[in-house]
Amino acid sequence: MQNKDVQRAHLLGFGLDNDDGHKRITQAEEFSIVGGSQDTHERMTETVIKTFEDIKNKGETLRTIEPQHLSDLIQKNSPA
């Protein structure tokens, strides 16, 4: 039985530039990346993985991190 008071957080990323017909989905416990071209999907996945490493290194979780700080980390970890 699941406790109704448990708060969950999940980061969801959508890539909208897919024109090759492939369906790309990458899932982990706290994030899902859906769609995008191969390059976009790989870049989004890399960004999210690095972001979660930073969150963990700062002793935070997706549930506890401030939205602005999360946004800053995602920007920092996005490939140029």
Side-chain angles (χ1 to χ4, degrees):
M1 183 150 109
Q2 189 175 17
N3 184 345
K4 291 182 182 181
D5 293 332
V6 173
Q7 291 183 357
R8 293 192 160 187
H10 195 85
L11 193 62
L12 181 60
F14 288 100
L16 303 175
D17 66 340
N18 181 3
D19 60 5
D20 63 7
H22 288 279
K23 293 180 179 17
R24 295 177 177 88
I25 301 171
T26 301
Q27 292 181 300
E29 186 175 331
E30 293 184 296
F31 74 87
S32 299
I33 305 293
V34 180
S37 66
Q38 181 174 346
D39 181 55
T40 297
H41 193 90
E42 288 173 1
R43 290 174 49 184
M44 288 191 310
T45 301
E46 178 183 344
T47 298
V48 171
I49 289 170
K50 287 180 179 179
T51 298
F52 274 97
E53 288 172 359
D54 284 351
I55 291 170
K56 183 179 177 181
N57 289 339
K58 294 183 183 301
E60 297 269 5
T61 68
L62 186 57
R63 264 185 357 155
T64 63
I65 193 166
E66 293 292 327
Q68 184 59 51
H69 189 206
L70 176 61
S71 177
D72 293 344
L73 288 176
I74 291 171
Q75 271 192 326
K76 176 188 137 231
N77 289 312
S78 294

